[in-house]
Amino acid sequence: MDVSLGLTLQIILTVVAGVGAQVLAEYVNAPAIALLLLFGIVLGPSGLSILHPSWLGVGLDVLVPLLVAIILFEGGFNLQLRDLGRVSGSLRNLVTVGTLITLLGGGMAAHWLSEFPWPISFLYASLVVVTGPTVINPLLKQVKVDRRVTTLLEGEGVLIDPVGAILAVVVLNILINGDAEPIEIAGGLVSRLGIGSVIGIAGGWLIGQILKRAQFISDDLKSLVVLAGQWGWFGLAQSLQSESGLMAAVAAGIVLRASSLPEERLLKRFKGQLSTLAVSVLFILLAADLSIPGVMALGWGGVLTVLTLMFVVRPINIWICTWNSGLSLRQKLFLSWVAPRGIVAASVASLFAISLTQRGINGGDSIKALVFLTIILTVFVQALTAQGVANLLNITSQAAKGAVIVGCNPLSLLIARLFLEKGEAVVLLDTAPEAKEQAAAEKIPIFISSALDTDVLERAGLAAKGTFLAMTSNGEVNLVVAQRAEEEFGPPHVLAIFPRDPEVSNTSSNPKIKQAFVAQIPIKTWSQYIADGSVKLGELDFTEARLEMQQTYLQKLIEEGSLVPLLVERGDRLQVVSAEETWQVGDRLIYLLHDPRPELLKLLSGAPQTRLTPEKLPEVEKATVPAIAVAVDSEQRQGESETGKTDEGVKGEEGENEEGEGDRGDKHG
């Protein structure tokens, strides 16, 4: 076979296998890196011997840094400085003190358990200080955990990658060139980080200015401009100081994200696709290049080294670095559990193995084997169990409580009060000055400001809330503020009152934003009902025996416009009902029922307007029992015999309501 054709087929096989692993991972809802490792090992020389990365020769050394630069740039571009500010102390500690703890702990474990010489042991430890966005970000897309935990893990993964890679280069230079002074070691580390940071910041700012000012550049071309600029700054940094390009890639991504580009969504999508392709290709190639016999030769010493790194060094690292962070015990336990190693460790280890072998230094293949064993164990043990651990510790984002509600009206005040009575924090936002007095009367916190101001949303605590609800009288405004909240903070539940025009609603709404309550709810009408006192606040428990009948009858009342479901108590927390809600056995529904008694009758009764509290309403409860037909028919006949009415066209439910209202009127009269 022609050499060029053989290499072409190798690249094609790599891409097909990588994309196939990604597709299969989404289908089975598993971490993609686990399948990428498996596919690469199976296709490589240790498996079916179909894929041979060594055939690429020096091309592999060229391809790896360029693809890693894409991955790190995308990781930096996904970071938000506002989120990082909330965990800045812990993040700083993890990238500095945490790196030193892992370096020392990993080095001692490799020396004492794997019996590596001290220089080789610390070279291994320098390679595994990194976690990396290649494994952390896809993992956190599947495992939705608390916002602070997510931000800390993402920030650590992105920022520690260049630090770890540069540290590994410094350690390698010491190993190759002999002993070095501490000043030289620190100088090499700081100079690489400094050069990379300066070039990356300047490059990210320049790219942002070009995209903002060069209006003649089409949207399709702008994504390629970013790619070219990113690689350009990476190459410049690398030419000035080796390994500084990784820091430049991260810094450029962070600065470009902070530039608030109009094309941000387009760029995020394009860079996300490139990053996924880069991860797929790299993991397939590097896993295929792994020697399984070399990993097996490490024996139990290698396994114990990795387990010590996972269950001793990592917890010590987290507890020291987050000592005064305010994180809960459960959050720290999850952080201690999740630290899978990724592509930077694998790629740098592969390059180091080649460098050490070329210089006649033993241990290069052993380091590579131990690094890959670390990747395999951390991925398969930690990544595959992360969801179960998050559920066990109850720190999933779905467990977040409380709400931020936009719009102050009788209906939103009622919902806010119900959240508060449940013990969940709630904050209102409105632009009308008079809303402050209305909220104060109910003792509900409120900000008189626009919900489009992300600083206000930050002060309202949306980052830690479980629900965002936009329910002003303007449907278009609701959609805009809900879109902003979802993009900037990503709360688990984002709901809004959609525009009355279905076409506007369908074209403007984000799939993650749900219609609140019911489709096309007349919010002004129901707010007026509450103000007039012509509503009842009911509660209904869904049971297995009556579920179908309860659903049917509720849907009938909703379609008639006489009932609006507000909140559902599921487990130990409240959720705002969406128009797509599916009731489950054990749910407790809180709803509003229109009570259209004549106002004059209410005045004559002398009964003051009472504070709405959830109660079992007979007109709904009786209508959802299996014997509904018999019971209603019996009561209707009894009412007809007592009042002399013979109107056979009266519905069972209406007859019961009218009879009850008549009795109450007679008594008060």
Side-chain angles (χ1 to χ4, degrees), residues 266-302:
L266 176 66
L267 292 177
K268 285 183 69 175
R269 184 172 183 178
F270 176 72
K271 299 302 293 182
Q273 292 173 339
L274 274 183
S275 180
T276 300
L277 179 60
V279 170
S280 303
V281 170
L282 281 177
F283 263 111
I284 292 291
L285 286 176
L286 297 179
D289 198 37
L290 178 65
S291 171
I292 296 300
V295 174
M296 300 298 293
L298 295 173
W300 285 106

mmCIF file of all heavy atoms in Angstrom, residues 266-302:
data_model
loop_
_atom_site.group_PDB
_atom_site.id
_atom_site.type_symbol
_atom_site.label_atom_id
_atom_site.label_comp_id
_atom_site.label_asym_id
_atom_site.label_seq_id
_atom_site.Cartn_x
_atom_site.Cartn_y
_atom_site.Cartn_z
ATOM 1 N N LEU A 266 -22.353 31.903 18.273
ATOM 2 C CA LEU A 266 -21.787 31.257 17.085
ATOM 3 C C LEU A 266 -20.396 30.731 17.376
ATOM 4 O O LEU A 266 -20.051 29.595 17.014
ATOM 5 C CB LEU A 266 -21.746 32.257 15.926
ATOM 6 C CG LEU A 266 -21.089 31.779 14.625
ATOM 7 C CD1 LEU A 266 -21.906 30.664 14.003
ATOM 8 C CD2 LEU A 266 -20.937 32.944 13.646
ATOM 9 N N LEU A 267 -19.574 31.528 18.046
ATOM 10 C CA LEU A 267 -18.210 31.117 18.351
ATOM 11 C C LEU A 267 -18.190 29.949 19.323
ATOM 12 O O LEU A 267 -17.384 29.019 19.179
ATOM 13 C CB LEU A 267 -17.433 32.295 18.930
ATOM 14 C CG LEU A 267 -17.148 33.463 17.970
ATOM 15 C CD1 LEU A 267 -16.431 34.584 18.698
ATOM 16 C CD2 LEU A 267 -16.325 32.992 16.777
ATOM 17 N N LYS A 268 -19.061 29.996 20.338
ATOM 18 C CA LYS A 268 -19.099 28.900 21.302
ATOM 19 C C LYS A 268 -19.460 27.587 20.622
ATOM 20 O O LYS A 268 -18.883 26.539 20.926
ATOM 21 C CB LYS A 268 -20.111 29.212 22.405
ATOM 22 C CG LYS A 268 -19.646 30.247 23.409
ATOM 23 C CD LYS A 268 -20.659 30.458 24.510
ATOM 24 C CE LYS A 268 -20.752 29.243 25.396
ATOM 25 N NZ LYS A 268 -21.652 29.474 26.551
ATOM 26 N N ARG A 269 -20.397 27.654 19.695
ATOM 27 C CA ARG A 269 -20.802 26.425 19.005
ATOM 28 C C ARG A 269 -19.671 25.899 18.126
ATOM 29 O O ARG A 269 -19.366 24.698 18.132
ATOM 30 C CB ARG A 269 -22.044 26.701 18.167
ATOM 31 C CG ARG A 269 -22.593 25.473 17.479
ATOM 32 C CD ARG A 269 -23.913 25.757 16.823
ATOM 33 N NE ARG A 269 -24.476 24.557 16.225
ATOM 34 C CZ ARG A 269 -25.644 24.517 15.612
ATOM 35 N NH1 ARG A 269 -26.384 25.601 15.531
ATOM 36 N NH2 ARG A 269 -26.087 23.395 15.084
ATOM 37 N N PHE A 270 -19.028 26.801 17.378
ATOM 38 C CA PHE A 270 -17.951 26.393 16.481
ATOM 39 C C PHE A 270 -16.767 25.836 17.271
ATOM 40 O O PHE A 270 -16.227 24.769 16.956
ATOM 41 C CB PHE A 270 -17.517 27.587 15.631
ATOM 42 C CG PHE A 270 -16.335 27.294 14.734
ATOM 43 C CD1 PHE A 270 -16.482 26.479 13.623
ATOM 44 C CD2 PHE A 270 -15.085 27.829 15.003
ATOM 45 C CE1 PHE A 270 -15.400 26.203 12.792
ATOM 46 C CE2 PHE A 270 -13.998 27.567 14.186
ATOM 47 C CZ PHE A 270 -14.155 26.748 13.080
ATOM 48 N N LYS A 271 -16.364 26.559 18.333
ATOM 49 C CA LYS A 271 -15.231 26.101 19.129
ATOM 50 C C LYS A 271 -15.569 24.818 19.874
ATOM 51 O O LYS A 271 -14.698 23.961 20.073
ATOM 52 C CB LYS A 271 -14.811 27.190 20.116
ATOM 53 C CG LYS A 271 -14.357 28.486 19.461
ATOM 54 C CD LYS A 271 -13.203 28.282 18.521
ATOM 55 C CE LYS A 271 -11.943 27.874 19.230
ATOM 56 N NZ LYS A 271 -10.799 27.718 18.297
ATOM 57 N N GLY A 272 -16.814 24.683 20.289
ATOM 58 C CA GLY A 272 -17.213 23.450 20.956
ATOM 59 C C GLY A 272 -17.103 22.245 20.032
ATOM 60 O O GLY A 272 -16.651 21.164 20.450
ATOM 61 N N GLN A 273 -17.503 22.427 18.774
ATOM 62 C CA GLN A 273 -17.396 21.328 17.811
ATOM 63 C C GLN A 273 -15.934 20.993 17.514
ATOM 64 O O GLN A 273 -15.554 19.813 17.427
ATOM 65 C CB GLN A 273 -18.126 21.709 16.521
ATOM 66 C CG GLN A 273 -19.637 21.796 16.684
ATOM 67 C CD GLN A 273 -20.319 22.347 15.444
ATOM 68 O OE1 GLN A 273 -19.694 23.008 14.613
ATOM 69 N NE2 GLN A 273 -21.611 22.097 15.322
ATOM 70 N N LEU A 274 -15.097 22.034 17.367
ATOM 71 C CA LEU A 274 -13.676 21.793 17.127
ATOM 72 C C LEU A 274 -13.038 21.074 18.314
ATOM 73 O O LEU A 274 -12.227 20.163 18.144
ATOM 74 C CB LEU A 274 -12.953 23.124 16.889
ATOM 75 C CG LEU A 274 -12.935 23.684 15.469
ATOM 76 C CD1 LEU A 274 -12.114 24.967 15.441
ATOM 77 C CD2 LEU A 274 -12.378 22.686 14.477
ATOM 78 N N SER A 275 -13.403 21.501 19.517
ATOM 79 C CA SER A 275 -12.837 20.884 20.710
ATOM 80 C C SER A 275 -13.243 19.417 20.824
ATOM 81 O O SER A 275 -12.424 18.566 21.175
ATOM 82 C CB SER A 275 -13.290 21.652 21.957
ATOM 83 O OG SER A 275 -12.765 21.071 23.121
ATOM 84 N N THR A 276 -14.501 19.123 20.515
ATOM 85 C CA THR A 276 -14.961 17.730 20.548
ATOM 86 C C THR A 276 -14.185 16.875 19.554
ATOM 87 O O THR A 276 -13.778 15.744 19.868
ATOM 88 C CB THR A 276 -16.463 17.658 20.240
ATOM 89 O OG1 THR A 276 -17.179 18.417 21.223
ATOM 90 C CG2 THR A 276 -16.956 16.225 20.269
ATOM 91 N N LEU A 277 -13.960 17.418 18.342
ATOM 92 C CA LEU A 277 -13.187 16.686 17.339
ATOM 93 C C LEU A 277 -11.739 16.497 17.806
ATOM 94 O O LEU A 277 -11.161 15.410 17.654
ATOM 95 C CB LEU A 277 -13.215 17.437 16.005
ATOM 96 C CG LEU A 277 -12.429 16.805 14.850
ATOM 97 C CD1 LEU A 277 -12.963 15.414 14.521
ATOM 98 C CD2 LEU A 277 -12.449 17.703 13.623
ATOM 99 N N ALA A 278 -11.154 17.549 18.402
ATOM 100 C CA ALA A 278 -9.775 17.456 18.870
ATOM 101 C C ALA A 278 -9.638 16.407 19.966
ATOM 102 O O ALA A 278 -8.700 15.594 19.965
ATOM 103 C CB ALA A 278 -9.306 18.823 19.379
ATOM 104 N N VAL A 279 -10.557 16.411 20.914
ATOM 105 C CA VAL A 279 -10.526 15.415 21.989
ATOM 106 C C VAL A 279 -10.650 14.010 21.424
ATOM 107 O O VAL A 279 -9.925 13.086 21.827
ATOM 108 C CB VAL A 279 -11.657 15.694 23.000
ATOM 109 C CG1 VAL A 279 -11.802 14.534 23.979
ATOM 110 C CG2 VAL A 279 -11.377 16.979 23.757
ATOM 111 N N SER A 280 -11.566 13.842 20.470
ATOM 112 C CA SER A 280 -11.793 12.520 19.889
ATOM 113 C C SER A 280 -10.543 11.995 19.197
ATOM 114 O O SER A 280 -10.133 10.841 19.402
ATOM 115 C CB SER A 280 -12.958 12.588 18.890
ATOM 116 O OG SER A 280 -14.131 13.078 19.504
ATOM 117 N N VAL A 281 -9.924 12.842 18.397
ATOM 118 C CA VAL A 281 -8.734 12.415 17.653
ATOM 119 C C VAL A 281 -7.566 12.125 18.600
ATOM 120 O O VAL A 281 -6.888 11.090 18.489
ATOM 121 C CB VAL A 281 -8.341 13.496 16.621
ATOM 122 C CG1 VAL A 281 -6.971 13.190 16.015
ATOM 123 C CG2 VAL A 281 -9.399 13.584 15.523
ATOM 124 N N LEU A 282 -7.356 13.016 19.558
ATOM 125 C CA LEU A 282 -6.214 12.850 20.453
ATOM 126 C C LEU A 282 -6.335 11.597 21.317
ATOM 127 O O LEU A 282 -5.374 10.831 21.457
ATOM 128 C CB LEU A 282 -6.068 14.085 21.346
ATOM 129 C CG LEU A 282 -5.401 15.302 20.703
ATOM 130 C CD1 LEU A 282 -5.391 16.467 21.671
ATOM 131 C CD2 LEU A 282 -3.981 14.976 20.270
ATOM 132 N N PHE A 283 -7.492 11.401 21.908
ATOM 133 C CA PHE A 283 -7.635 10.246 22.793
ATOM 134 C C PHE A 283 -7.538 8.930 22.021
ATOM 135 O O PHE A 283 -6.970 7.958 22.521
ATOM 136 C CB PHE A 283 -8.959 10.314 23.553
ATOM 137 C CG PHE A 283 -8.812 10.902 24.923
ATOM 138 C CD1 PHE A 283 -9.342 12.126 25.228
ATOM 139 C CD2 PHE A 283 -8.114 10.227 25.911
ATOM 140 C CE1 PHE A 283 -9.199 12.674 26.486
ATOM 141 C CE2 PHE A 283 -7.958 10.759 27.177
ATOM 142 C CZ PHE A 283 -8.502 11.998 27.461
ATOM 143 N N ILE A 284 -8.096 8.888 20.831
ATOM 144 C CA ILE A 284 -7.992 7.660 20.033
ATOM 145 C C ILE A 284 -6.532 7.373 19.694
ATOM 146 O O ILE A 284 -6.033 6.246 19.870
ATOM 147 C CB ILE A 284 -8.827 7.779 18.746
ATOM 148 C CG1 ILE A 284 -10.320 7.802 19.064
ATOM 149 C CG2 ILE A 284 -8.514 6.632 17.790
ATOM 150 C CD1 ILE A 284 -10.869 6.495 19.594
ATOM 151 N N LEU A 285 -5.796 8.396 19.239
ATOM 152 C CA LEU A 285 -4.404 8.202 18.849
ATOM 153 C C LEU A 285 -3.529 7.829 20.043
ATOM 154 O O LEU A 285 -2.725 6.890 19.976
ATOM 155 C CB LEU A 285 -3.869 9.473 18.186
ATOM 156 C CG LEU A 285 -4.344 9.763 16.760
ATOM 157 C CD1 LEU A 285 -3.814 11.107 16.291
ATOM 158 C CD2 LEU A 285 -3.916 8.659 15.805
ATOM 159 N N LEU A 286 -3.678 8.565 21.152
ATOM 160 C CA LEU A 286 -2.805 8.319 22.297
ATOM 161 C C LEU A 286 -3.134 7.005 22.993
ATOM 162 O O LEU A 286 -2.234 6.312 23.489
ATOM 163 C CB LEU A 286 -2.910 9.490 23.279
ATOM 164 C CG LEU A 286 -2.434 10.839 22.725
ATOM 165 C CD1 LEU A 286 -2.607 11.938 23.752
ATOM 166 C CD2 LEU A 286 -0.973 10.758 22.288
ATOM 167 N N ALA A 287 -4.424 6.655 23.041
ATOM 168 C CA ALA A 287 -4.797 5.373 23.642
ATOM 169 C C ALA A 287 -4.327 4.213 22.773
ATOM 170 O O ALA A 287 -3.904 3.164 23.282
ATOM 171 C CB ALA A 287 -6.308 5.303 23.843
ATOM 172 N N ALA A 288 -4.393 4.398 21.450
ATOM 173 C CA ALA A 288 -3.926 3.340 20.553
ATOM 174 C C ALA A 288 -2.422 3.135 20.668
ATOM 175 O O ALA A 288 -1.912 2.028 20.438
ATOM 176 C CB ALA A 288 -4.301 3.688 19.110
ATOM 177 N N ASP A 289 -1.708 4.198 21.035
ATOM 178 C CA ASP A 289 -0.249 4.109 21.151
ATOM 179 C C ASP A 289 0.191 3.507 22.485
ATOM 180 O O ASP A 289 1.383 3.315 22.732
ATOM 181 C CB ASP A 289 0.351 5.510 21.006
ATOM 182 C CG ASP A 289 1.831 5.461 20.683
ATOM 183 O OD1 ASP A 289 2.249 4.567 19.924
ATOM 184 O OD2 ASP A 289 2.568 6.307 21.207
ATOM 185 N N LEU A 290 -0.782 3.206 23.356
ATOM 186 C CA LEU A 290 -0.467 2.675 24.678
ATOM 187 C C LEU A 290 -0.139 1.182 24.598
ATOM 188 O O LEU A 290 -0.805 0.418 23.894
ATOM 189 C CB LEU A 290 -1.661 2.891 25.620
ATOM 190 C CG LEU A 290 -1.530 2.344 27.041
ATOM 191 C CD1 LEU A 290 -0.416 3.068 27.787
ATOM 192 C CD2 LEU A 290 -2.852 2.483 27.783
ATOM 193 N N SER A 291 0.871 0.790 25.350
ATOM 194 C CA SER A 291 1.249 -0.624 25.421
ATOM 195 C C SER A 291 0.591 -1.253 26.645
ATOM 196 O O SER A 291 0.949 -0.922 27.789
ATOM 197 C CB SER A 291 2.773 -0.759 25.514
ATOM 198 O OG SER A 291 3.135 -2.086 25.787
ATOM 199 N N ILE A 292 -0.366 -2.114 26.414
ATOM 200 C CA ILE A 292 -1.041 -2.782 27.528
ATOM 201 C C ILE A 292 -0.070 -3.661 28.324
ATOM 202 O O ILE A 292 -0.112 -3.669 29.565
ATOM 203 C CB ILE A 292 -2.230 -3.611 27.017
ATOM 204 C CG1 ILE A 292 -3.280 -2.674 26.399
ATOM 205 C CG2 ILE A 292 -2.856 -4.418 28.146
ATOM 206 C CD1 ILE A 292 -3.839 -1.660 27.363
ATOM 207 N N PRO A 293 0.833 -4.385 27.676
ATOM 208 C CA PRO A 293 1.825 -5.134 28.476
ATOM 209 C C PRO A 293 2.647 -4.226 29.386
ATOM 210 O O PRO A 293 3.006 -4.611 30.498
ATOM 211 C CB PRO A 293 2.699 -5.809 27.409
ATOM 212 C CG PRO A 293 1.788 -5.966 26.235
ATOM 213 C CD PRO A 293 0.934 -4.735 26.243
ATOM 214 N N GLY A 294 2.932 -2.994 28.909
ATOM 215 C CA GLY A 294 3.675 -2.062 29.745
ATOM 216 C C GLY A 294 2.889 -1.639 30.973
ATOM 217 O O GLY A 294 3.455 -1.488 32.062
ATOM 218 N N VAL A 295 1.582 -1.475 30.805
ATOM 219 C CA VAL A 295 0.732 -1.128 31.946
ATOM 220 C C VAL A 295 0.657 -2.300 32.921
ATOM 221 O O VAL A 295 0.737 -2.117 34.143
ATOM 222 C CB VAL A 295 -0.677 -0.720 31.465
ATOM 223 C CG1 VAL A 295 -1.605 -0.495 32.654
ATOM 224 C CG2 VAL A 295 -0.609 0.536 30.606
ATOM 225 N N MET A 296 0.507 -3.500 32.375
ATOM 226 C CA MET A 296 0.421 -4.683 33.236
ATOM 227 C C MET A 296 1.726 -4.910 34.002
ATOM 228 O O MET A 296 1.720 -5.431 35.121
ATOM 229 C CB MET A 296 0.096 -5.913 32.394
ATOM 230 C CG MET A 296 -1.237 -5.822 31.635
ATOM 231 S SD MET A 296 -2.651 -5.660 32.737
ATOM 232 C CE MET A 296 -2.629 -7.254 33.534
ATOM 233 N N ALA A 297 2.832 -4.505 33.408
ATOM 234 C CA ALA A 297 4.125 -4.705 34.056
ATOM 235 C C ALA A 297 4.284 -3.853 35.312
ATOM 236 O O ALA A 297 5.149 -4.130 36.155
ATOM 237 C CB ALA A 297 5.253 -4.394 33.077
ATOM 238 N N LEU A 298 3.457 -2.819 35.452
ATOM 239 C CA LEU A 298 3.538 -1.977 36.648
ATOM 240 C C LEU A 298 3.129 -2.742 37.896
ATOM 241 O O LEU A 298 3.561 -2.413 39.005
ATOM 242 C CB LEU A 298 2.642 -0.737 36.479
ATOM 243 C CG LEU A 298 3.047 0.254 35.381
ATOM 244 C CD1 LEU A 298 1.969 1.317 35.224
ATOM 245 C CD2 LEU A 298 4.390 0.901 35.702
ATOM 246 N N GLY A 299 2.253 -3.752 37.712
ATOM 247 C CA GLY A 299 1.824 -4.573 38.840
ATOM 248 C C GLY A 299 0.950 -3.808 39.816
ATOM 249 O O GLY A 299 0.418 -2.734 39.517
ATOM 250 N N TRP A 300 0.832 -4.395 41.022
ATOM 251 C CA TRP A 300 -0.008 -3.782 42.047
ATOM 252 C C TRP A 300 0.587 -2.481 42.572
ATOM 253 O O TRP A 300 -0.144 -1.627 43.109
ATOM 254 C CB TRP A 300 -0.220 -4.753 43.202
ATOM 255 C CG TRP A 300 -1.193 -5.837 42.864
ATOM 256 C CD1 TRP A 300 -0.914 -7.139 42.606
ATOM 257 C CD2 TRP A 300 -2.610 -5.692 42.738
ATOM 258 N NE1 TRP A 300 -2.070 -7.830 42.316
ATOM 259 C CE2 TRP A 300 -3.131 -6.955 42.397
ATOM 260 C CE3 TRP A 300 -3.490 -4.627 42.866
ATOM 261 C CZ2 TRP A 300 -4.476 -7.178 42.188
ATOM 262 C CZ3 TRP A 300 -4.840 -4.836 42.664
ATOM 263 C CH2 TRP A 300 -5.319 -6.101 42.321
ATOM 264 N N GLY A 301 1.889 -2.308 42.417
ATOM 265 C CA GLY A 301 2.503 -1.059 42.847
ATOM 266 C C GLY A 301 1.947 0.133 42.099
ATOM 267 O O GLY A 301 1.674 1.196 42.686
ATOM 268 N N GLY A 302 1.742 -0.032 40.779
ATOM 269 C CA GLY A 302 1.159 1.044 39.979
ATOM 270 C C GLY A 302 -0.275 1.335 40.385
ATOM 271 O O GLY A 302 -0.690 2.504 40.485
#
